[in-house]
Amino acid sequence: MTWRQNLIFAGILLHTILDAEASPDMSMKRQKINKDHRYLFFLGPGRTGTGTMTAILKGVEPLLKCKPCHNFCDEHDVWKLYTVSPDRSPKHILFHEYCAFIDNAVKVDFQWLDKVFPDARFVLQTRQMKELLRSRLGHIRRIHDTPVKNPADFLRNFVLHVAAHQKAVMEYFSAKSERLNRFARMQITEAPMEDTAEILTWVFRTDPNRRKVKSVVKDRNTVPRRVQRAVDVPEGFIPLIGTRYLNDNLVYQSIMHAASRVPSVHNSTEAALKLKQQGEEVPPEEDAERIAIAVVAELGCNGTEQLFYECPRVARILESGSSPWK
């Protein structure tokens, strides 16, 4: 290279070093923040890809410095109970050992969590109504010794509980821009993994004031300045884009790599196979699907709703304040 090219290269290199030291997105800064626990709470019910997401989070734990808790946190109780306990405290040992919490979060006090962990990130994971009801009923039947006595009533009330929770979550986080930029919706079981990786990368960004949004992020098309734009940048040009996109790329590709290692067989399927091997009766999935379809039809929904309160009859029941089913 000529002396002029050497000078330009040295300038780019110096710019990169200075940008790295000043950027809030450097890996060392990220480690420091995560060491102090930047929390991530998943607010959706079970059977919405929680097992898959937990496996992904475990795969990127060394990078994000964030240990996930899936429903039961080792020797601790169900994590959601700690958010509604009379003696709840952000200083509880649970919140020192873990910083990502997922599964069965319909009764979680998310407003308290947002108050005591002001930099926390929140995700509402959803699933199409019919598929969630089918999966929910099949799962309950597998983990309990006795079958559900009135499965249709069980599912109808489940829809109302989930709908009320989803409505409260969406209204709360959409009310203020500061909350909105720490919140996203996610379809783990039905959307492409690229969507999940994009949204999770956006959620995990160090500075919530960067890549801001004015409406709820719900798929990769609603993520501002999608990270893929920098993924295929030639190596020689990486110094020119600074460390912000470079770090996002690292997170994104780490999530995709972790997702590729997640087994395709779900825990519920493994549990059913184990019951069959033990000679125990396992209710057929066809029966759960039949009941789910009937409940969806009775509610007047089309079964594809991700937000259950968007089904007109469900919305009317919520507005009335009383359920026709006890």
Side-chain angles (χ1 to χ4, degrees), residues 90-239:
K91 296 182 179 180
H92 192 282
I93 188 174
L94 182 76
F95 298 115
H96 287 273
E97 295 182 2
Y98 304 89
C99 59
F101 299 85
I102 189 169
D103 201 23
N104 295 323
V106 170
K107 294 185 179 181
V108 162
D109 190 341
F110 57 87
Q111 294 192 31
W112 176 79
L113 289 172
D114 187 40
K115 179 180 179 181
V116 298
F117 303 119
D119 191 42
R121 313 303 163 88
F122 296 85
V123 173
L124 178 65
Q125 75 276 14
T126 61
R127 187 174 183 178
Q128 290 187 8
M129 182 185 290
K130 181 179 77 68
E131 291 303 310
L132 179 55
L133 298 188
R134 175 195 58 77
S135 181
R136 177 71 174 176
L137 182 58
H139 182 66
I140 291 295
R141 284 172 158 178
R142 280 189 290 267
I143 65 174
H144 289 286
D145 295 331
T146 56
V148 180
K149 292 183 179 180
N150 298 299
D153 285 346
F154 169 79
L155 291 183
R156 283 190 292 258
N157 284 299
F158 175 71
V159 167
L160 296 183
H161 284 303
V162 171
H165 174 72
Q166 289 177 332
K167 190 171 187 293
V169 169
M170 292 294 291
E171 289 179 350
Y172 177 80
F173 286 99
S174 298
K176 293 185 178 181
S177 175
E178 188 274 332
R179 296 176 192 162
L180 183 67
N181 281 280
R182 294 182 291 110
F183 172 77
R185 279 177 54 193
M186 186 182 291
Q187 301 174 37
I188 303 169
T189 61
E190 295 153 343
M193 186 51 64
E194 289 80 3
D195 279 36
T196 299
E198 278 281 2
I199 295 172
L200 202 55
T201 299
W202 180 81
V203 167
F204 263 120
R205 72 200 191 285
T206 305
D207 184 4
N209 292 314
R210 182 169 62 85
R211 301 171 67 194
K212 295 184 71 173
V213 296
K214 294 184 179 180
S215 58
V216 174
V217 166
K218 59 182 180 179
D219 54 42
R220 57 179 154 172
N221 293 323
T222 57
V223 175
R225 292 181 300 185
R226 289 164 50 188
V227 72
Q228 295 103 312
R229 295 182 181 180
V231 169
D232 296 322
V233 173
E235 185 177 355
F237 287 90
I238 287 179

Side-chain angles (χ1 to χ4, degrees), residues 58-69:
K58 286 182 178 179
V60 296
E61 181 181 340
L63 174 67
L64 300 175
K65 306 298 180 184
C66 189
K67 183 179 180 181
C69 164

